[in-house]
Amino acid sequence: MELLIEKILVYALAAIFCVAVVMVYLRKQRRNSKIVEEKIRQAKLDGLYEPVSLHPVVDPNSCIQTGACIAACPEKDILGIRNGKATTINASRCIGHGACFHACPTEAISLFIGTEKRGVELPHVNQNFETNVPGIYIAGELGGMGLIKNAVEQGKQAVENLIKSTKKGHKAEFDLIVVGAGPAGISATLTAKKHNLKSLTLEQDTLGGTVFTFPRSKIVMTSAMDLPLFGKVKLYETSKTELLELWNQVLKKNELSINENTKVDSIIAEPGHFKINTLSGEHYTTKNVLLTIGRRGSPRKLNIAGETLEKVAYRLLEPEDIKNKEIMVVGGGDSAIESALLLADHNNVILSYRSGSFKRIKPKNSEKINDAIKKGIIEVRYNTNVISIEKETITLTTVKDDKQSKLKNDLLFIFAGGELPTQFLQKIGLHITKKFGEAILKH
Ligand SMILES: Cc1cc2nc3c(=O)[nH]c(=O)nc-3n(C[C@H](O)[C@H](O)[C@H](O)COP(=O)(O)OP(=O)(O)OC[C@H]3O[C@@H](n4cnc5c(N)ncnc54)[C@H](O)[C@@H]3O)c2cc1C
Ligand code: SF4
């Protein structure tokens, strides 16, 4: 009898222990799910929940919540576990490494482009990277596949392909003009040199493309890649500075220069070649064009006097380095407001907006800017336009009665929207399709 009671007690204790473990586990899971739910709520408020391009899609039937995808993703809070299944949180921040795709032991993740709600426009290219207009090629992120390594590889392949179909003896000034000097454009420029093509690279901004815009402190994740005229680059976790230094060195060593601050405005097909016109008024003829312009588009300019002065910028890099300046930010969208707020801590910031109120900005930005206005941290000049930029001042005019005022000014940031790459491509006559959730990488 005593033995039986002892046995029952042991079993009961074991059962209680098991139930306790399960309860602790379930409670922890519920708590973690709540945290992820809160992050999703915030991501929706911040407009980061809906993916804008590549993003992971989790198959709930295969997911066994190992969390391997979350551990593998180098970006923060793109994936989380909710109710025992992986789910996306800030999906718009996904840059498409595919690290999650490879890490998942049950193959529950696929990489998609676009969603049912938000389509992504992609140009048609064939396996040689040629578009529907013979002689115009596309490589890099513009074609749908992001990442530095892919861009470098595609830039190289596109040039190698176009060489095969370029007949000698044409009358154009160049064999190839590369538009855009991000990783794809740099790689294409080097490949063109390697094969003795007469080529020219035009960049609307600065060498490096999207990489140039990364914060200095960002860890850039990449994998081994083959850089033409250099060889294997074995960088895995690197920095923007290291990458830019490498690209600059290779270009210099091969006596290559890139025409920076030269935006290609139009590409016109003429008999036997293309005519390229830049915004700064240069014209070139070329047999082939390689578009490596990425997906960020071109900032819209105000087209006013003084806009070429060095103090004018269309993006904000390293705000922490800007102190004690008289700054004007132009625009009423999220970028303008976020930049004004970032600069306001250490500078005198005025925001000029042509409308009477901020519409269609994220609720969080609306809250922050109203608070900053109330506290006198930022001055907003509604219903105004900048009409000219001088070395130490800017001239502002009111929309209604054209009253002009001159303000002291050291730096001017313009966020007046931009031209999407698709608009540019359509002008050239390239075919574009909208992808509403198409698997780019699946098991
Ligand atoms: C926040 C963020 C973090 C990222 N982190 C990583 C990472 O860690 N690892 C990684 O591998 N990838 C990362 N990426 C992705 C990577 O930066 C891109 O996939 C890559 O830069 C694409 O290269 P690209 O050459 O195709 O285009 P881009 O780098 O975008 O370059 C395009 C260039 O074309 C120029 N251009 C555009 N229009 C014109 C015109 N009309 N005339 C002349 N020039 C023009 C632009 O100014 C730009 O310099 C990240 C992206 C972002 C946004
Ligand atoms: S594709 Fe890359 S950035 Fe996107 S979720 Fe997966 S690991 Fe993160």
Side-chain angles (χ1 to χ4, degrees):
M1 184 67 180
E2 255 179 36
L3 201 67
L4 183 68
I5 292 172
E6 209 173 283
K7 259 189 184 172
I8 291 171
L9 265 174
V10 169
Y11 283 130
L13 276 174
I16 289 169
F17 178 74
C18 289
V19 170
V21 168
V22 170
M23 276 178 66
V24 168
Y25 171 77
L26 286 176
R27 198 190 260 176
K28 196 172 164 217
Q29 195 185 65
R30 260 203 306 273
R31 210 175 38 232
N32 287 345
S33 289
K34 270 207 174 132
I35 295 172
V36 170
E37 250 159 43
E38 177 51 29
K39 283 183 180 172
I40 291 175
R41 195 190 65 80
Q42 193 59 48
K44 284 182 179 168
L45 277 179
D46 296 344
L48 300 171
Y49 181 71
E50 278 295 321
V52 284
S53 183
L54 282 172
H55 60 282
V57 171
V58 181
D59 173 6
N61 298 322
S62 310
C63 177
I64 54 163
Q65 65 158 327
T66 61
C69 53
I70 301 162
C73 178
E75 310 304 314
K76 204 174 164 279
D77 281 345
I78 291 178
L79 289 156
I81 303 273
R82 183 179 54 172
N83 303 329
K85 304 285 170 194
T87 181
T88 51
I89 305 173
N90 295 299
S92 73
R93 290 221 176 110
C94 171
I95 54 163
H97 300 94
C100 51
F101 171 86
H102 296 291
C104 179
T106 61
E107 303 188 339
I109 288 191
S110 307
L111 270 198
F112 272 60
I113 191 152
T115 64
E116 256 177 52
K117 276 193 200 160
R118 192 187 275 185
V120 173
E121 291 179 321
L122 287 184
H124 287 220
V125 283
N126 66 17
Q127 72 279 15
N128 296 328
F129 300 95
E130 194 168 23
T131 64
N132 59 297
V133 178
I136 299 189
Y137 293 73
I138 281 177
E141 191 153 0
L142 179 65
M145 202 40 143
L147 297 186
I148 297 160
K149 178 188 187 290
N150 295 333
V152 166
E153 186 55 34
Q154 288 193 0
K156 183 179 86 174
Q157 284 183 17
V159 176
E160 284 170 351
N161 285 325
L162 69 84
I163 289 169
K164 289 179 206 151
S165 51
T166 305
K167 289 194 191 98
K168 292 227 161 77
H170 60 79
K171 294 210 166 59
E173 284 169 84
F174 293 96
D175 295 317
L176 168 67
I177 286 189
V178 180
V179 186
I186 294 168
S187 167
T189 307
L190 292 167
T191 312
K193 169 85 180 191
K194 186 175 167 188
H195 294 280
N196 294 320
L197 292 191
K198 194 167 178 229
S199 89
L200 176 71
T201 304
L202 306 172
E203 164 57 52
Q204 68 180 5
D205 230 312
T206 319
L207 180 138
T210 300
V211 176
F212 184 83
T213 67
F214 291 170
R216 226 177 294 156
S217 57
K218 175 182 159 57
I219 296 167
V220 184
M221 307 291 294
T222 185
S223 24
M225 58 186 137
D226 196 14
L227 190 64
L229 294 179
F230 178 84
K232 264 260 176 300
V233 179
K234 287 185 183 156
L235 293 173
Y236 299 95
E237 284 189 18
T238 180
S239 66
K240 144 188 174 170
T241 314
E242 197 172 4
L243 272 175
L244 292 177
E245 260 173 32
L246 171 73
W247 288 330
N248 273 310
Q249 269 174 24
V250 184
L251 288 167
K252 199 170 161 207
K253 198 171 159 217
N254 290 288
E255 292 168 355
L256 285 164
S257 62
I258 275 160
N259 291 19
E260 292 183 320
N261 300 313
T262 310
K263 177 181 158 65
V264 171
D265 190 39
S266 61
I267 300 173
I268 296 157
E270 291 187 342
H273 61 252
F274 297 97
K275 188 171 174 202
I276 306 257
N277 301 313
T278 72
L279 204 61
S280 33
E282 296 103 340
H283 311 284
Y284 305 100
T285 57
T286 177
K287 184 70 189 155
N288 299 291
V289 181
L290 175 60
L291 298 172
T292 49
I293 59 173
R295 301 191 60 80
R296 283 180 309 137
S298 304
R300 185 164 295 129
K301 310 225 160 166
L302 298 182
N303 294 321
I304 55 174
E307 206 169 347
T308 50
L309 285 172
E310 250 182 48
K311 69 173 185 175
V312 182
Y314 300 88
R315 61 186 175 194
L316 176 61
L317 299 176
E318 325 289 358
E320 61 280 8
D321 291 349
I322 305 171
K323 290 198 174 108
N324 306 320
K325 301 278 183 206
E326 296 291 328
I327 298 178
M328 171 152 290
V329 177
V330 174
D334 284 310
S335 306
I337 282 159
E338 282 165 20
S339 302
L341 288 164
L342 279 172
L343 290 163
D345 285 343
H346 301 290
N347 302 282
N348 194 14
V349 179
I350 300 176
L351 191 61
S352 157
Y353 186 35
R354 62 186 174 167
S355 295
S357 63
F358 299 115
K359 299 175 195 102
R360 287 193 286 162
I361 56 169
K362 291 176 197 156
K364 202 170 164 190
N365 281 337
S366 176
E367 216 176 276
K368 282 188 184 167
I369 189 73
N370 287 333
D371 192 46
I373 296 168
K374 231 186 266 164
K375 289 181 178 151
I377 297 169
I378 291 178
E379 182 191 343
V380 181
R381 302 265 182 132
Y382 293 109
N383 301 308
T384 58
N385 282 317
V386 178
I387 53 163
S388 68
I389 308 161
E390 302 83 36
K391 222 169 159 211
E392 287 168 7
T393 53
I394 47 122
T395 308
L396 209 62
T397 179
T398 52
V399 172
K400 275 186 203 140
D401 43 14
D402 209 12
K403 248 192 213 150
Q404 289 190 12
S405 50
K406 235 179 219 325
L407 303 173
K408 212 166 157 268
N409 176 263
D410 300 314
L411 296 170
L412 179 69
F413 290 94
I414 301 170
F415 297 98
E419 185 194 51
L420 291 171
T422 41
Q423 289 167 279
F424 179 68
L425 301 184
Q426 274 161 342
K427 272 200 294 190
I428 307 171
L430 303 191
H431 292 164
I432 287 162
T433 321
K434 224 172 190 175
K435 307 275 181 198
F436 289 94
E438 208 164 278
I440 293 277
L441 207 57
K442 62 177 178 188
H443 294 281

